[in-house]
């Protein structure tokens, strides 16, 4: 937990994002390449589960909205976009779909018109 707060203080939003890293090619001799270079994704320094625990602690303590890097107390609201990035994403097939709801809620107007 303390290391996650330290990483958030040092790196900010970047600690919550996965990083794209290019691995170096391994060369044997002067011409033969044993392994070519490839692009690899590294997992975030602070996992989403730990980040959500820290965020909920900040909400309970009333320190949500400001972050003090010297003490490591609080949560910066800008980090929410990196933490919950899939929540607000719209696909190429359309925008964010509304929830389906239960059949009782969907047919409410129809039942009201019958009365």
């Amino acid at each position: 937990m303390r290391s996650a707060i330290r990483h958030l203080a040092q790196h900010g939003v970047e600690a919550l994002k996965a990083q794209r890293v290019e691995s170096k090619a391994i060369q044997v001799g002067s011409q033969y390449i044993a392994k070519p270079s490839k692009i690899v994704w590294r997992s975030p320094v602070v996992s989403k589960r730990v980040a959500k625990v820290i965020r909920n602690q900040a909400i309970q303590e009333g320190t949500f909205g400001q972050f003090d890097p010297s003490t490591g107390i609080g949560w910066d609201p800008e980090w929410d976009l990196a933490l919950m990035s899939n929540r607000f994403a719209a696909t190429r097939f359309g925008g964010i779909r509304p929830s389906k709801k239960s059949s009782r809620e969907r047919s409410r107007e129809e039942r009201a018109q019958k009365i």
Side-chain angles (χ1 to χ4, degrees), residues 66-107:
Q66 66 268 4
F67 180 73
D68 185 17
S70 60
T71 59
I73 296 174
W75 182 264
D76 192 359
E78 294 177 6
W79 299 343
D80 285 340
L81 293 175
L83 182 62
M84 303 175 203
S85 59
N86 293 336
R87 178 179 283 184
F88 308 108
T91 62
R92 66 185 178 128
F93 299 111
I96 300 172
R97 293 182 62 190
S99 61
K100 187 175 178 181
K101 299 182 183 175
S102 65
S103 64
R104 180 176 159 266
E105 289 177 298
R106 289 193 307 252
S107 63

Side-chain angles (χ1 to χ4, degrees), residues 23-28 32-37:
S23 65
K24 293 183 180 179
I26 298 174
Q27 189 171 1
V28 179
Y32 179 71
I33 297 175
K35 283 187 178 179
S37 64

Side-chain angles (χ1 to χ4, degrees), residues 15 28 42 56 60-61 67 74 84 97 108 113:
V28 179
R42 281 196 188 154
N56 287 336
Q60 289 174 354
E61 294 170 358
F67 180 73
M84 303 175 203
R97 293 182 62 190
R108 184 174 180 180
Q113 290 176 355

